[in-house]
Amino acid sequence: MEVCVSSLLITNGRVIDPSQDMDRVSNLLIENGKIAAFDIEPEKESTNGSATRIDAGGKIVAPGLIDMHAYLGEPGGEDDETIQSGTQAALAGGFTSIACAPNTNPPIDTQGTVQFVKQQAADANNCHVYPIACVSKNRLGEELAEMGTLVDAGAIAFSDACSPISNPELMRRALEYLLMFDKPLLSHPEVQELSGDGVMHEGIVSTVLALPGIPAEAEAVMTGRDISLAESTGGRIHMMHISTAGSIELIRRAKARGVRITAEVSPQHFSLTDEALRSFDSNKKINPPLRGQTHLDACIAGLKDGTLDVIASGHQPQAVEKKMQELDRAPFGVMALETTLSVVVTKLIRPGHLDWLTALEKLTIRPARALGIPKGTLQVGVDADVTIIDPDATWTVEPDAFFSKSSNSPYLGETLYGRASTVIVSGAIKFERNS
């Protein structure tokens, strides 16, 4: 659904904007697709006549949420997701901007594929979609992609997605080259020789289940290498889906030295442990894998002290039939755009690990800054991307209720708290929840 109005007044909401350190009850006026004013008296709401009103009493009014990277299927993976379904899922999850991961077929490594993604997103007309282009041609890690032409086409960042860049010389040259454009490189830290054919975290549970494990060192070793290369080149690096205590400590020390590094964690890694794999549920098979409790605690600590800047969904939908295989044969990946906000509320805010201002910072202005996009704020004059959140909503995660084409959520059957009730993109009401 879409409702376009020239003037929109959101009343009585608790406005939380981390970019302005704002947390107060206020009325927010939107005019002609832009944030116009705060604390507007209803009778003075608009210079253009009566505004359409949304009563946000008891709800939180926040900048539109931003996801650092989401797999949207197209081109080539339309059985998993499409840009139409993925962006609709993003709206349902409260996201007004998402960066599109390049692990498609063909990969996003040419001007044509970047333009294809942008056109498909424009046709879908849901949320903002920002293409991430490949670091290497065909994501093979052998030869740099044509980064300059990809930037010209509209790429806002570079990554080989879930394929680690194993060649350190290629990584070094990529970081140096991207200095010319001031674009970040999003790295999946994994030493594949250590991961091998592992399907879950290497530990007591993997031993009991007789399943091949992925050691924590597979992530930490590559994290250390990437930090060293970023430090020596001065390049901008973003570490994707960090899951281990060792990696977090390396990033913490790197930040203290002034390395240009940002890092993220996905909801799965601060809410679930490898114990969940005792059910042999392939919906809980992800890469990096669900770790032990010590690593989960480190992820929460990293969020609290700012080592982990961003909460990113880790949205990797898989068609139902792909996940209906034995655990060792099923592909990695979970769908997460529609559950991320609720898991943050349920597992971080309600237990008191983070307050609303800090949690929303990691879902709005921090990812915007890491990606270098002009989003994540409610400052007067910017595009009116707004997410209204019902913090007390409760809902049970059911497979037939998703907007995504896939239903491979690790939270199926769980009751979660907090949900987006209204989502506004560039001043247009793009999503309203009926219940």
Side-chain angles (χ1 to χ4, degrees):
M1 61 82 66
E2 178 176 354
V3 178
C4 295
V5 293
S6 61
S7 187
L8 180 64
L9 183 67
I10 304 172
T11 61
N12 306 315
R14 178 185 171 188
V15 180
I16 301 179
D17 181 5
S19 75
Q20 303 181 76
D21 198 27
M22 179 187 294
D23 184 353
R24 69 173 189 264
V25 175
S26 179
N27 298 330
L28 174 62
L29 179 64
I30 296 169
E31 288 190 321
N32 300 317
K34 305 288 185 180
I35 302 295
F38 293 94
D39 303 321
I40 291 293
E41 295 296 332
E43 63 272 13
K44 301 177 181 178
E45 61 202 30
S46 175
T47 58
N48 300 317
S50 180
T52 299
R53 297 193 187 190
I54 297 176
D55 184 358
K59 297 178 181 177
I60 291 169
V61 179
L65 308 187
I66 300 168
D67 195 43
M68 285 285 299
H69 54 90
Y71 171 58
L72 297 182
E74 292 185 273
E78 291 84 359
D79 55 337
D80 299 323
E81 192 78 283
T82 64
I83 291 174
Q84 173 67 47
S85 64
T87 52
Q88 185 62 44
L91 289 176
F95 292 92
T96 59
S97 297
I98 54 177
C100 178
N103 51 328
T104 52
N105 186 23
I108 304 175
D109 64 353
T110 65
Q111 284 186 314
T113 47
V114 171
Q115 291 163 355
F116 171 82
V117 169
K118 292 172 68 176
Q119 185 59 56
Q120 292 295 97
D123 292 344
N125 193 30
N126 286 321
C127 65
H128 305 292
V129 176
Y130 295 91
I132 298 173
C134 296
V135 173
S136 66
K137 291 181 178 179
N138 209 34
R139 294 175 55 231
L140 294 176
E142 297 173 354
E143 184 180 357
L144 285 180
E146 299 293 338
M147 292 178 169
T149 59
L150 290 166
V151 170
D152 291 341
I156 53 103
F158 289 81
S159 176
D160 275 357
C162 51
S163 296
I165 301 172
S166 298
N167 185 333
E169 173 60 14
L170 188 78
M171 173 65 87
R172 185 181 68 85
R173 286 192 287 116
L175 286 166
E176 289 177 337
Y177 195 68
L178 288 176
L179 285 170
M180 291 191 292
F181 310 103
D182 194 29
K183 300 294 183 186
L185 192 157
L186 280 58
S187 173
H188 168 78
E190 179 186 4
V191 178
Q192 290 183 315
E193 291 82 357
L194 289 173
S195 296
D197 59 355
V199 300
M200 65 175 295
H201 174 61
E202 183 180 272
I204 294 174
V205 179
S206 67
T207 301
V208 170
L209 299 181
L211 290 171
I214 300 173
E217 292 76 17
E219 176 182 292
V221 169
M222 189 66 86
T223 298
R225 185 208 72 171
D226 287 354
I227 287 172
S228 178
L229 292 174
E231 189 166 18
S232 64
T233 61
R236 289 175 57 194
I237 195 161
H238 176 83
M239 306 308 296
M240 301 160 66
H241 37 240
I242 291 299
S243 68
T244 70
S247 294
I248 292 166
E249 182 58 27
L250 287 168
I251 294 166
R252 184 178 287 118
R253 294 178 181 178
K255 287 190 168 190
R257 297 196 305 273
V259 179
R260 299 178 72 194
I261 184 171
T262 53
E264 72 183 47
V265 64
S266 75
Q268 296 74 246
H269 291 114
F270 63 68
S271 66
L272 298 168
T273 70
D274 55 350
E275 292 285 342
L277 271 297
R278 289 184 183 272
S279 64
F280 290 90
D281 182 357
S282 63
N283 287 329
K284 294 168 183 174
K285 180 183 177 183
I286 59 175
N287 186 20
L290 301 178
R291 304 287 185 181
Q293 187 65 45
T294 299
H295 297 291
L296 184 150
D297 292 341
C299 288
I300 293 176
L303 286 168
K304 293 172 72 172
D305 70 11
T307 301
L308 298 174
D309 310 81
V310 172
I311 296 171
S313 71
H315 186 69
Q316 179 77 19
Q318 301 286 354
V320 173
E321 61 272 14
K322 294 180 181 178
K323 283 290 190 177
M324 291 178 63
Q325 303 182 72
E326 295 86 352
L327 189 63
D328 59 344
R329 298 181 62 187
F332 291 104
V334 298
M335 58 84 59
L337 281 170
E338 295 174 65
T339 55
T340 291
L341 173 60
S342 299
V343 176
V344 169
V345 175
T346 306
K347 302 297 184 178
L348 293 179
I349 296 175
R350 288 176 67 90
H353 297 305
L354 298 182
D355 58 24
W356 272 100
L357 191 69
T358 305
L360 286 173
E361 179 183 39
K362 297 176 187 297
L363 289 164
T364 58
I365 191 62
R366 289 291 183 179
R369 289 171 178 166
L371 290 170
I373 59 175
K375 299 293 180 183
T377 179
L378 296 178
Q379 292 181 354
V380 172
V382 304
D383 291 341
D385 297 339
V386 182
T387 299
I388 302 176
I389 302 165
D390 184 346
D392 300 317
T394 61
W395 63 291
T396 301
V397 183
E398 300 291 351
D400 57 354
F402 292 125
F403 289 87
S404 172
K405 285 189 70 175
S406 302
S407 60
N408 55 309
S409 169
Y411 304 104
L412 292 178
E414 289 195 33
T415 297
L416 300 177
Y417 295 87
R419 216 173 187 189
S421 60
T422 303
V423 181
I424 299 163
V425 180
S426 296
I429 301 172
K430 293 286 188 175
F431 179 84
E432 285 187 293
R433 198 174 299 280
N434 295 325
S435 59

